[in-house]
């Protein structure tokens, strides 16, 4: 009888660890919330996007992973006719409550600093497109395409 109980305990432990390994082996796709903030020092308007959920696992790896999203936001703001020389910032949070707190804080700060109008850019006007990283695009390829910035206004 003791051997049977011991046998059941061994098999139970074996199958329990196998089941736990299978559930841990499935990759979890995390999502992060991104929203953009932009302003121009020549105007008293602040532009904010609504927080948008992106199913991206690699975005936590730093500024290099967020660069395509920052570029999307900056390109959109540069294309607008009513904004000259925008300063664009991208915010990343993991929870909806954090996003709401951060947006409220940014709106409060903007009104304190004298910005007269806060424009919320709706998702139908602008939304982030999911960028999937490819092994071919690495930091070396961006270094090859980057050129030194020259100021053409100086004599």
């Amino acid at each position: 009888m003791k051997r049977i109980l011991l046998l059941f305990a061994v098999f139970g432990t074996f199958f329990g660890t196998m089941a736990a390994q299978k559930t841990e082996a499935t990759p979890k796709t995390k999502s992060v919330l991104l929203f953009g903030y932009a302003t121009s020092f020549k105007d008293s308007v602040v532009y904010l996007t609504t927080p948008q959920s992106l199913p991206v696992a690699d975005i936590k790896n730093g500024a290099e992973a967020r660069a395509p999203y920052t570029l999307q936001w900056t390109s959109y703001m540069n294309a607008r006719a009513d904004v000259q020389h925008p300063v664009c910032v991208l915010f990343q949070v993991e929870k909806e409550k954090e996003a709401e707190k951060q947006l409220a804080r940014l709106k409060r700060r903007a009104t304190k600093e004298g910005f007269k109008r806060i424009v919320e850019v709706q998702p139908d006007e602008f939304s982030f497109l999911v960028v999937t990283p490819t092994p071919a695009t690495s930091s070396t390829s961006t270094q090859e395409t980057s050129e030194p910035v020259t100021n053409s206004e100086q004599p």
Side-chain angles (χ1 to χ4, degrees), residues 2-3 11 24 34 59 61 65-68 73 77 88 92-94 97 103 106 113 131-132 139 141 145-146:
K2 288 183 182 179
R3 288 184 180 180
F11 279 121
E24 290 175 6
L34 292 178
I59 203 161
N61 292 342
R66 287 188 302 270
W73 175 234
M77 289 306 297
C88 302
Q92 169 191 336
V93 293
E94 292 183 9
K97 272 190 169 181
L103 279 170
L106 288 170
E113 291 178 0
V131 177
T132 55
S139 60
S141 64
T145 59
S146 65

Side-chain angles (χ1 to χ4, degrees), residues 89-154:
V89 180
L90 188 70
F91 289 92
Q92 169 191 336
V93 293
E94 292 183 9
K95 296 179 183 173
E96 188 72 33
K97 272 190 169 181
E98 291 177 41
E100 291 171 7
K101 281 183 180 180
Q102 188 76 12
L103 279 170
R105 190 177 315 132
L106 288 170
K107 288 178 183 178
R108 250 191 334 267
R109 178 178 273 174
T111 54
K112 269 186 188 177
E113 291 178 0
F115 290 100
K116 295 180 180 151
R117 198 167 58 124
I118 298 174
V119 176
E120 292 191 19
V121 179
Q122 298 302 319
D124 59 342
E125 295 176 46
F126 171 79
S127 60
F128 293 105
L129 301 174
V130 176
V131 177
T132 55
T134 58
T137 57
S138 65
S139 60
T140 58
S141 64
T142 56
Q143 289 176 354
E144 292 172 3
T145 59
S146 65
E147 297 176 6
V149 178
T150 58
N151 192 353
S152 60
E153 295 176 346
Q154 292 180 350

Side-chain angles (χ1 to χ4, degrees), residues 60-82:
K60 286 187 168 186
N61 292 342
E64 186 176 318
R66 287 188 302 270
Y69 301 103
T70 306
L71 184 63
Q72 289 176 22
W73 175 234
T74 305
S75 297
Y76 170 77
M77 289 306 297
N78 283 328
R80 288 183 65 121
D82 58 343

